[in-house]
Amino acid sequence: MSATRKPLARHRRIVIKIGSALLVDRGAGLKKAWLTGMCADIAALRARGVEVLVVSSGAIALGRTVLSLPAGALKLEESQAAAAVGQIALARAWSDGLSADGIVAGQILLTLGDTEERRRYLNARATIQQLLKLGVVPIINENDTVATTEIRYGDNDRLAARVATMAGADLLVLLSDIDGLYTAPPHVDPAARFLEVIPEINAEIEAMAGGAASELSRGGMRTKIDAGKIATTAGCAMIIASGKTDRPLSAIEAGARSSFFQPARNPVTARKTWIAGQLLPAGSIAIDAGAETALRSGKSLLPAGVRQVTGSFSRGDTIAIIGVAGREIARGLAGYDADEARQIAGRKSPDIAAILGYAGRAAMVHRDDLVMTAPEAREAGETRTIANA
Ligand code: GLU
């Protein structure tokens, strides 16, 4: 037990991500007793006025058990088939479990494009808002039956973070077999220290996340830290806690060990949240020191400050902006296609018309389309509140 209790009901909208290993036993299938306890915890939160969304893994794990597929890695088409079988059982289990507590569940299956394309993102967001308005607990998973290797989240940690920002949640709880963040992997390094509160996800915190993942759950600490970046940048706090006990949410409230990631003090607007959380930037632009200083004080990125353009992107695509230290410092919507960007990189704005043959916009990435993603950069450059973009 830790000294810091975490009263979950202080939050108004919570996304709870549940890892496969908590819900599914490889031999016996669904862990019904655990699910019953989880549903009781959710009902208790709802009774205290908190809106709850669940991102539930387990479709593939459950389906492979039902189909008696052999242990080990599955081929893509096998996991797609397993998900098709498992998702029905999973959704039914949640629906039955919550209805015992008088709660209606609704299923949402998302693909990567539903959060990465702005129009589809807004559509999915509207559905979620409507479900919450109707008092429904959305049960969300990736649509693994149609997800392919290239076009998928692959882990529900980042999916849950995207859902949290999309739904305007103020807390994301990641429940798995890991009880929180350590300074080093605890099974390898006996000197590893547990971190109870993480004020911001900086380079040092990122370095602590190893690549570990168990067979049942795809997400290791790496994807959890990525999820934390997406959530906290948008002003949503995150908790990593073990779900291995019965009623894990009650356990967190009673002081069970967990890591708490504080939300950014100056969260970005909803539109910028969407830009910052893009999982697959189409390319990147490396900039010089002058441009980095300009970005940090809230200015646009001009072609003159661009050192190198990587990838092929079109105007309007999300690109990563790499600072002088070689690390991503910002993301933004490209003002030019990649080929044009290469031609005008390092050139002064007045020369651009002559190079391209037409008068483009002055900025490579306009400040309104730009969001600082490294915490030290964000502090200096951004002051905003969450808005309904
Ligand atoms: N979406 C996958 C499933 O339901 C789980 C992904 C994960 O474990 O993060 O089986």
Side-chain angles (χ1 to χ4, degrees), residues 20 57-60 141 144 154-156 217-218:
S20 298
S57 303
I60 297 173
N141 196 0
D144 295 305
D155 68 88
N156 276 2
S217 65
R218 298 229 190 78

PDB file of all heavy atoms in Angstrom, residues 20 57-60 141 144 154-156 217-218, ligand 1:
ATOM      1  N   SER A  20      -5.669  -7.812 -21.780  1.00  0.00           N
ATOM      2  CA  SER A  20      -6.196  -9.153 -22.065  1.00  0.00           C
ATOM      3  C   SER A  20      -5.979 -10.136 -20.922  1.00  0.00           C
ATOM      4  O   SER A  20      -6.875 -10.924 -20.585  1.00  0.00           O
ATOM      5  CB  SER A  20      -5.511  -9.734 -23.309  1.00  0.00           C
ATOM      6  OG  SER A  20      -5.766  -8.961 -24.436  1.00  0.00           O
ATOM      7  N   SER A  57      -9.421  -5.005 -23.964  1.00  0.00           N
ATOM      8  CA  SER A  57      -8.705  -5.969 -24.792  1.00  0.00           C
ATOM      9  C   SER A  57      -9.309  -7.338 -24.528  1.00  0.00           C
ATOM     10  O   SER A  57     -10.196  -7.481 -23.699  1.00  0.00           O
ATOM     11  CB  SER A  57      -7.223  -5.998 -24.416  1.00  0.00           C
ATOM     12  OG  SER A  57      -6.665  -4.721 -24.539  1.00  0.00           O
ATOM     13  N   GLY A  58      -8.809  -8.323 -25.211  1.00  0.00           N
ATOM     14  CA  GLY A  58      -9.217  -9.696 -24.912  1.00  0.00           C
ATOM     15  C   GLY A  58      -9.886 -10.421 -26.052  1.00  0.00           C
ATOM     16  O   GLY A  58     -10.130 -11.625 -25.956  1.00  0.00           O
ATOM     17  N   ALA A  59     -10.198  -9.706 -27.141  1.00  0.00           N
ATOM     18  CA  ALA A  59     -10.903 -10.370 -28.245  1.00  0.00           C
ATOM     19  C   ALA A  59     -10.051 -11.491 -28.832  1.00  0.00           C
ATOM     20  O   ALA A  59     -10.521 -12.625 -29.008  1.00  0.00           O
ATOM     21  CB  ALA A  59     -11.257  -9.344 -29.319  1.00  0.00           C
ATOM     22  N   ILE A  60      -8.799 -11.175 -29.108  1.00  0.00           N
ATOM     23  CA  ILE A  60      -7.934 -12.179 -29.746  1.00  0.00           C
ATOM     24  C   ILE A  60      -7.640 -13.314 -28.760  1.00  0.00           C
ATOM     25  O   ILE A  60      -7.753 -14.506 -29.095  1.00  0.00           O
ATOM     26  CB  ILE A  60      -6.636 -11.527 -30.266  1.00  0.00           C
ATOM     27  CG1 ILE A  60      -6.985 -10.494 -31.360  1.00  0.00           C
ATOM     28  CG2 ILE A  60      -5.668 -12.580 -30.804  1.00  0.00           C
ATOM     29  CD1 ILE A  60      -5.832  -9.648 -31.842  1.00  0.00           C
ATOM     30  N   ASN A 141     -12.977  -1.367 -28.428  1.00  0.00           N
ATOM     31  CA  ASN A 141     -11.794  -2.156 -28.766  1.00  0.00           C
ATOM     32  C   ASN A 141     -11.380  -1.786 -30.183  1.00  0.00           C
ATOM     33  O   ASN A 141     -12.141  -1.146 -30.918  1.00  0.00           O
ATOM     34  CB  ASN A 141     -12.093  -3.662 -28.662  1.00  0.00           C
ATOM     35  CG  ASN A 141     -10.829  -4.521 -28.629  1.00  0.00           C
ATOM     36  OD1 ASN A 141      -9.696  -4.020 -28.673  1.00  0.00           O
ATOM     37  ND2 ASN A 141     -11.007  -5.836 -28.558  1.00  0.00           N
ATOM     38  N   ASP A 144     -10.122  -5.546 -34.651  1.00  0.00           N
ATOM     39  CA  ASP A 144      -8.987  -6.408 -35.028  1.00  0.00           C
ATOM     40  C   ASP A 144      -9.280  -7.311 -36.218  1.00  0.00           C
ATOM     41  O   ASP A 144      -8.369  -7.840 -36.843  1.00  0.00           O
ATOM     42  CB  ASP A 144      -8.576  -7.285 -33.837  1.00  0.00           C
ATOM     43  CG  ASP A 144      -8.030  -6.467 -32.686  1.00  0.00           C
ATOM     44  OD1 ASP A 144      -7.085  -5.702 -32.905  1.00  0.00           O
ATOM     45  OD2 ASP A 144      -8.546  -6.597 -31.570  1.00  0.00           O
ATOM     46  N   GLY A 154      -2.586  -1.873 -32.803  1.00  0.00           N
ATOM     47  CA  GLY A 154      -1.806  -3.015 -32.342  1.00  0.00           C
ATOM     48  C   GLY A 154      -1.762  -3.107 -30.834  1.00  0.00           C
ATOM     49  O   GLY A 154      -1.543  -4.172 -30.287  1.00  0.00           O
ATOM     50  N   ASP A 155      -1.939  -2.008 -30.135  1.00  0.00           N
ATOM     51  CA  ASP A 155      -1.991  -2.078 -28.675  1.00  0.00           C
ATOM     52  C   ASP A 155      -3.113  -1.171 -28.201  1.00  0.00           C
ATOM     53  O   ASP A 155      -3.370  -0.135 -28.800  1.00  0.00           O
ATOM     54  CB  ASP A 155      -0.667  -1.640 -28.065  1.00  0.00           C
ATOM     55  CG  ASP A 155      -0.426  -0.173 -28.294  1.00  0.00           C
ATOM     56  OD1 ASP A 155      -0.874   0.626 -27.463  1.00  0.00           O
ATOM     57  OD2 ASP A 155       0.176   0.189 -29.328  1.00  0.00           O
ATOM     58  N   ASN A 156      -3.767  -1.600 -27.133  1.00  0.00           N
ATOM     59  CA  ASN A 156      -4.899  -0.826 -26.645  1.00  0.00           C
ATOM     60  C   ASN A 156      -4.493   0.300 -25.700  1.00  0.00           C
ATOM     61  O   ASN A 156      -5.334   1.082 -25.290  1.00  0.00           O
ATOM     62  CB  ASN A 156      -5.917  -1.752 -25.970  1.00  0.00           C
ATOM     63  CG  ASN A 156      -6.858  -2.382 -26.994  1.00  0.00           C
ATOM     64  OD1 ASN A 156      -6.712  -2.154 -28.193  1.00  0.00           O
ATOM     65  ND2 ASN A 156      -7.825  -3.158 -26.524  1.00  0.00           N
ATOM     66  N   SER A 217      -0.650  -9.739 -23.723  1.00  0.00           N
ATOM     67  CA  SER A 217      -0.916  -8.323 -23.962  1.00  0.00           C
ATOM     68  C   SER A 217       0.184  -7.761 -24.829  1.00  0.00           C
ATOM     69  O   SER A 217       1.351  -8.003 -24.596  1.00  0.00           O
ATOM     70  CB  SER A 217      -0.970  -7.576 -22.639  1.00  0.00           C
ATOM     71  OG  SER A 217       0.287  -7.620 -22.025  1.00  0.00           O
ATOM     72  N   ARG A 218      -0.200  -6.969 -25.816  1.00  0.00           N
ATOM     73  CA  ARG A 218       0.795  -6.453 -26.741  1.00  0.00           C
ATOM     74  C   ARG A 218       1.550  -5.276 -26.144  1.00  0.00           C
ATOM     75  O   ARG A 218       2.674  -5.014 -26.472  1.00  0.00           O
ATOM     76  CB  ARG A 218       0.096  -6.006 -28.019  1.00  0.00           C
ATOM     77  CG  ARG A 218      -0.583  -7.137 -28.707  1.00  0.00           C
ATOM     78  CD  ARG A 218      -0.218  -7.143 -30.175  1.00  0.00           C
ATOM     79  NE  ARG A 218      -1.051  -8.083 -30.889  1.00  0.00           N
ATOM     80  CZ  ARG A 218      -2.296  -7.809 -31.230  1.00  0.00           C
ATOM     81  NH1 ARG A 218      -2.814  -6.646 -30.956  1.00  0.00           N
ATOM     82  NH2 ARG A 218      -3.001  -8.697 -31.860  1.00  0.00           N
TER      83      ARG A 218
HETATM   84  N1  GLU B   1      -7.218  -5.407 -29.404  1.00  0.00           N
HETATM   85  C1  GLU B   1      -6.599  -6.577 -28.913  1.00  0.00           C
HETATM   86  C2  GLU B   1      -7.641  -7.599 -28.464  1.00  0.00           C
HETATM   87  O1  GLU B   1      -8.720  -7.243 -28.097  1.00  0.00           O
HETATM   88  C3  GLU B   1      -5.694  -6.326 -27.723  1.00  0.00           C
HETATM   89  C4  GLU B   1      -4.562  -5.373 -27.943  1.00  0.00           C
HETATM   90  C5  GLU B   1      -3.750  -5.225 -26.644  1.00  0.00           C
HETATM   91  O2  GLU B   1      -3.629  -6.188 -25.898  1.00  0.00           O
HETATM   92  O3  GLU B   1      -3.274  -4.130 -26.356  1.00  0.00           O
HETATM   93  O4  GLU B   1      -7.394  -8.762 -28.437  1.00  0.00           O
END
